[in-house]
Amino acid sequence: EAQVTQNPRYLITVTGKKLTVTCSQNMNHEYMSWYRQDPGLGLRQIYYSMNVEVTDKGDVPEGYKVSRKEKRNFPLILESPSPNQTSLYFCASSQAGWSAYNEQFFGPGTRLTVL
Amino acid sequence: AQSVSQHNHHVILSEAASLELGCNYSYGGTVNLFWYVQYPGQHLQLLLKYFSGDPLVKGIKGFEAEFIKSKFSFNLRKPSVQWSDTAEYFCAVTKNAGNMLTFGGGTRLMVKP
């Protein structure tokens, strides 16, 4: 089944404790992206990657890191989480960017709470 | 920077009522436009998209949207809603061949049976 998977689905952590949220897709997609969803703000793009070893900042990259060493994986790293990073995080992928033939596929989300 | 506005934050309708959700964007160039839906507890799914051609776009589940370039709008419509349409709806915009997608704040729709 074609899908985007994220782990963990739920995470409660404390301020300053490094964490990684994994994202994996099995559709051989070139483009992957991370978003955070907050009430009233919709989804805001954190980072995106056009292909392996190519990553770029989205609208809200502060406090986050990403890497794209393999095509299928795009982990989101919080080196020193803070309470304002409490949010619902979505990973997404598409064949390539936003051309007419590509649909964005979203993962199930990771709900992160930073105490 | 481009922005996307969804002015209706919460909408409550009875079944069979007609629906129109507003979406306005600020970017003046060529845009690609999307509507996504998020059912309770689920991830986002694409409802419909506009890239070029006929400004009236038909999507899944009876939804449609009309792109009005002069008004910078891409409103979502459905003639008769069902209880199963209860969800949050997001409008999104990207520049032509752009790599970033900007979402609106979302509209929560509740349909009463």
Side-chain angles (χ1 to χ4, degrees), chain B residues 33-86:
Chain B
L33 301 151
F34 305 79
W35 275 99
Y36 281 88
V37 61
Q38 186 177 32
Y39 297 103
Q42 297 187 27
H43 52 87
L44 275 77
Q45 302 170 45
L46 183 67
L47 266 181
L48 49 79
K49 61 186 178 185
Y50 172 81
F51 283 78
S52 63
D54 189 343
L56 185 61
V57 180
K58 294 195 184 298
I60 61 172
K61 306 186 180 188
F63 286 92
E64 64 179 31
E66 185 175 13
F67 170 51
I68 303 180
K69 190 174 182 179
S70 61
K71 295 185 178 179
F72 298 90
S73 70
F74 190 54
N75 292 354
L76 181 71
R77 300 194 293 245
K78 186 170 184 178
S80 176
V81 295
Q82 301 171 321
W83 176 78
S84 58
D85 293 324
T86 294

Side-chain angles (χ1 to χ4, degrees), chain A residues 48-69:
Chain A
Y48 64 94
S49 169
M50 295 295 290
N51 214 325
V52 175
E53 301 292 4
V54 180
T55 63
D56 278 295
K57 295 178 180 179
D59 291 321
V60 289
E62 295 77 20
Y64 304 95
K65 285 176 56 177
V66 292
S67 68
R68 187 88 182 274
K69 292 181 170 37

